[in-house]
Amino acid sequence: MILIVSPHWRCELLLTASSGEQFLSLLDVLPATFDTLPETLDAVSKADIAGRMERVSAQREWGGVDACGSQF
């Protein structure tokens, strides 16, 4: 069997639930979809987000409900 893996970027997302709790998730994105996105954050904002990402739980560790209402 031959496994072909397309090139992609794996992005970490900092998500905020309606309760205000934050958690991490992953998103795989094809590089071509990022070609036209402008830079929107300054260095201070990036550092703030990076610090929060280090302190939050991953989605799989968070006892929430997904978009379809299923417990995970």
Side-chain angles (χ1 to χ4, degrees), residues 6-59:
S6 66
H8 66 280
W9 291 337
R10 175 152 287 168
C11 304
E12 277 190 319
L13 306 173
L14 179 61
L15 304 175
T16 304
S18 59
S19 65
E21 185 175 4
Q22 294 184 319
F23 57 97
L24 294 177
S25 190
L26 297 174
L27 175 67
D28 290 344
V29 180
L30 296 176
T33 61
F34 270 14
D35 286 346
T36 58
L37 290 179
E39 185 65 51
T40 58
L41 297 175
D42 58 30
V44 173
S45 297
K46 288 178 187 178
D48 174 57
I49 292 169
R52 287 189 282 150
M53 290 178 82
E54 291 175 0
R55 295 187 298 271
V56 299
S57 300
Q59 179 181 359

